Each structure stands twice: as C-alpha cells, then as structure tokens.
Amino acid sequence: RRVHGNCGIQTTEYEGQSETWGRVLRVSEIAFVLFFTIEIIFTALSCASPRWFFASKWNVWDLVMVLGSLPALITPQFANISFLRSVRLLRLIKAAKTLEELQRIMMCTGRAFPPVCAIFLLSFLCTLVFAAVGMALFAGRFTDESKAPRLNFDTLPNTLLTLYIIMSNDSWAFPMYSALI
C-alpha cells in the first residue's frame, strides 16, 4: 500500500502547479523516502547475514533507490532528480509477485517482446527503402517552406519525418499540398 500511495502522490505533479501543492509534494516525497529508508534498514536487520539480504534482487533494487533518493533530501541542488521518481514507480512491479494473473501477463509480455522488436525492425527497414525511393524521386521538389519547412525529401532525417507523418495520418495534408504545388 505504501508503494501505491507513493506512486499516487508522484503522479499528481504537473506543470504550473501552485506553490502550496509543490510544498505538499516535497513534504510527502521526504516522508516516503524516510519511510522507505526505515523499511530497508529493518529489512537488512531482519536478515541473518548480508548475503541473505543481497540474495534478493528486490532488496538490492530498494537499496539502490533509497541511496539514490537520499542526496535529494540532503542538498537542494539534487532536489530535481525527476528520473529517480520515475524509476521508483517501477516498484509497482514488485506487487506482481503477489498476483498470479499479473505474473502471467508480465511473462507473456516478456516473451512477446523479441518478436515485436523484430517486427519494428522490419518496419523500419521498409521505411528506409521507401525513404531512399522518395529521396530519389522527390528531392528538391518540395519548396514551400512557409507551411512545413522540414517536410521534404532532401535529407534522410527529413524524409523519415515526412514518411512518419504520412504513415501516422498526422497532418499528412501538408506534404500532400506541397507535392501538388
């Protein structure tokens, strides 16, 4: 529950929030870091030897997260280490140990990851082929810089950006109208 509370508080931060809410978040972050520090100390003391403590990957993960969060409490220059807050959200994975259905979903996701990466790689290679063809056919022809200056086929990055916009159907009208001119 403490991990869920920490994650819930962390997700309420937003750009343009009031100073009061910022102070509430800062105090709650300090409280959670202190709580997790006490928890890791008790966990370490409850183990018969340091070898037992470090045998669990979750204990090592918690220790690294707590040690990484402590500088933010000590000095204000480290107070904006937002990536640590994001990494601490991964503690929710620890909850998967208790739910068998969630474990099964995570295992299936892990097994599906390599084939999905292969599909993305194949898709990227096909996009590169179309980018090469587009550069050969349309290089220097999209000259209307007033609408979208980077949507052209002059360079490989601009070509990949143009193809991505066309494939995702996001503002695809700009390159189409530039091609018609």
Side-chain angles (χ1 to χ4, degrees), residues 12-38:
T12 61
E13 185 176 8
Y14 60 93
E15 186 65 34
Q17 65 190 8
S18 67
E19 279 189 43
T20 306
W21 187 244
R23 284 193 298 270
V24 167
L25 290 177
R26 179 77 178 135
V27 168
S28 66
E29 183 176 355
I30 291 170
F32 277 114
V33 169
L34 291 176
F35 182 80
F36 289 138
T37 304
I38 292 169

Side-chain angles (χ1 to χ4, degrees), residues 24-177:
V24 167
L25 290 177
R26 179 77 178 135
V27 168
S28 66
E29 183 176 355
I30 291 170
F32 277 114
V33 169
L34 291 176
F35 182 80
F36 289 138
T37 304
I38 292 169
E39 178 188 31
I40 201 76
I41 289 171
F42 282 149
T43 303
L45 292 175
S46 68
C47 293
S49 73
R51 188 172 9 145
W52 287 5
F53 177 79
F54 289 107
S56 170
K57 293 177 184 176
W58 289 113
N59 287 342
V60 174
W61 175 260
D62 287 342
L63 181 65
V64 168
M65 287 298 102
V66 166
L67 291 177
S69 300
L70 289 177
L73 298 180
I74 298 169
T75 59
Q77 65 193 27
F78 291 114
N80 196 12
I81 305 178
S82 60
F83 76 93
L84 276 178
R85 282 188 241 150
S86 302
V87 173
R88 276 192 308 200
L89 289 175
L90 293 176
R91 290 186 71 166
L92 285 176
I93 295 174
K94 194 174 185 179
K97 290 174 68 174
T98 59
L99 300 172
E100 186 177 321
E101 294 84 14
L102 191 55
Q103 281 182 343
R104 199 171 309 130
I105 290 171
M106 289 178 62
M107 291 287 289
C108 290
T109 304
R111 288 183 186 147
F113 190 72
V116 168
C117 287
I119 290 171
F120 278 128
L121 180 63
L122 181 64
S123 174
F124 181 71
L125 290 175
C126 289
T127 305
L128 277 178
V129 168
F130 282 110
V133 170
M135 286 175 66
L137 294 177
F138 304 117
R141 297 201 182 176
F142 286 41
T143 57
D144 188 12
E145 297 292 324
S146 63
K147 292 184 181 173
R150 292 178 302 177
L151 298 180
N152 57 47
F153 289 91
D154 295 340
T155 64
L156 183 63
N158 287 351
T159 302
L160 289 174
L161 175 66
T162 304
L163 288 176
Y164 176 76
I165 287 173
I166 292 170
M167 288 187 302
S168 66
N169 287 334
D170 179 36
S171 302
W172 57 269
F174 289 125
M176 182 189 72
Y177 289 133

